[in-house]
Every structure is written in C-alpha cells, then in structure tokens.
Amino acid sequence: MEPKVIAKGIYLVGGAEMTDARDCSVYLVDCGDLVLIDTGAGKSIKGIVRNIDRLGLAGKKMAMIVLTHRHIDHVGGARELRDRYDCPLVIHEQDAGALESGDMVSTGAGAYGVNFDRVVIDIKLTKEEERLHIGNQTITCLHTPGHTPGSISCYLDRGGKRILFGQDIHGPFLHQSGANMSDWRESMYKLLSLKADILCEGHFGVYEPAEKVVDYITGYLQEYGE
C-alpha cells in the first residue's frame, strides 16, 4: 500500500494495513529534515523505508526518531532504523528503561512473539512539555501518561492547523505496562485543551476536523467511565 499524505509534509508510512499487521501507525514529518514518529513492530523496516523513498525523501536527513511509548508495535524497528539513518532515538525517561533493559513483558514483545534486544536511547525526555527544533519546525512533546508511564503525545502547527500525534488514546491499559487510568484521564483533558484540527492516532486512523478529534477523545472518556 502506498504512503498516505495527511497534510503538507506529513505522511503515514507504516501501519497494520500498509506494512505489517502488527505495526502501529508510523508517521513521517518533513521539517526540512525528517522526523519519524514510531517504528512499527520491527518486521517491516523495508516497507517503511520503501514508503519514505516513494515520497521522494530518500535524500533528506533523518533528524530523529521519536518513540511515543514503550510498546513493541511502536518501538520494534527503532534500533535498525536508527542505525540505518544514523539519527538519535527519543523517548520519555519513564519508558526508556524498558527499552534499554530489553524488557519482554512491559514492552509486550513476548505477547507479540517478537524477540526484542536492548536498545540504547539517545535522548530521554524529562519534562511535562519539551520542544524539539528540527529544520524549520518546532514539534512539542507532551508527557501524557496513562497507557504507559512514559507515554508522550506530539503536536505541531502547520498551514493554520494544529496536528496532534496522540498514539494509543484508546488503550489498552495493561498492568504489566504500568497503565494508570487516573493519569490517562488527566492526559486526555490535556489533549482536548490543545484544540487540535487533525488527530493522527496510533492504530485507528486520522481524524479531522476539530469536532471529530474531540468526539474521538471524549468517546473513550465516556467508554471508560468518565
């Protein structure tokens, strides 16, 4: 399946229906230099790279790979893609330890039947809000715990619209991954306050305009008893 254009310079380059059934949605942002958001489960590296090449972006520098949380369907390709593009891996410090220790349980690698070796993290986010400056763009990373302790959501403003990468808003909420429903609810209200125009979710697609973003998030708040 061909890569999908979401907005100017923002693309879907991997996912369950595009590269491998085990993959999360993998997004690419062209900021002059490139930023990859998540990496899939690790068996579809060639497909992700091929989709980047199909967009005519093979010659651009990959500035960094941002990992939104510890789960294998988001981080399984991290080490190989980092080595391929010679760029740093970014994740919140509260999820970094699971990757650096090769934790098969809290990453879900065992459940996915995927071997997961230790991954060295280059940049560990530590604050409630941190800004990454890449090329001509600023991407803001918010600490949005709940799904995992170190879950983050990223957003940027482009072309008069706010685009939010809110991975795995839907859950699941697993004890072995450190899930916390109280933290998750607080994180969802934080995302609603951003008033995003486009939501790029972790598995279930892209939602726009702003009203559909609100409906998607509040729907899960209602489902989980808010």
Side-chain angles (χ1 to χ4, degrees), residues 6 9-12 25-29 35 37-38 68 139-140 142 144 152-156 162-169 191 194 196 198-202 206:
I6 297 166
I10 299 175
Y11 311 97
L12 177 68
S25 296
V26 179
Y27 297 101
L28 183 73
V29 184
V35 178
I37 299 179
D38 287 331
T68 61
I139 297 177
T140 302
L142 298 177
T144 49
I152 61 170
S153 301
C154 307
Y155 72 91
L156 57 90
R162 175 158 291 179
I163 302 159
L164 169 63
F165 301 91
Q167 304 288 67
D168 291 18
I169 283 169
L191 295 185
L194 296 175
I198 301 173
L199 168 64
C200 301
E201 214 271 344
V206 176

Side-chain angles (χ1 to χ4, degrees), residues 111-220:
Y112 270 69
V114 175
N115 288 325
F116 182 61
D117 295 326
R118 299 175 182 178
V119 178
V120 175
I121 299 300
D122 304 290
I123 300 173
K124 297 176 185 178
L125 304 177
T126 61
K127 300 175 183 177
E128 188 74 12
E129 178 179 307
E130 298 193 45
R131 290 178 173 83
L132 306 174
H133 302 287
I134 306 100
N136 56 14
Q137 184 81 57
T138 296
I139 297 177
T140 302
C141 298
L142 298 177
H143 185 208
T144 49
H147 182 52
T148 69
S151 289
I152 61 170
S153 301
C154 307
Y155 72 91
L156 57 90
D157 296 320
R158 179 171 290 185
K161 293 185 177 181
R162 175 158 291 179
I163 302 159
L164 169 63
F165 301 91
Q167 304 288 67
D168 291 18
I169 283 169
H170 58 278
F173 303 99
L174 305 174
H175 174 74
Q176 61 264 35
S177 295
N180 184 296
M181 293 302 297
S182 177
D183 288 347
W184 174 81
R185 290 186 186 93
E186 185 176 334
S187 294
M188 292 306 99
Y189 283 111
K190 189 184 300 184
L191 295 185
L192 286 170
S193 73
L194 296 175
K195 301 185 184 302
D197 298 287
I198 301 173
L199 168 64
C200 301
E201 214 271 344
H203 292 272
F204 296 143
V206 176
Y207 297 84
E208 59 178 315
E211 292 81 3
K212 289 188 177 180
V213 177
V214 171
D215 288 347
Y216 184 82
I217 298 172
T218 56
Y220 281 106

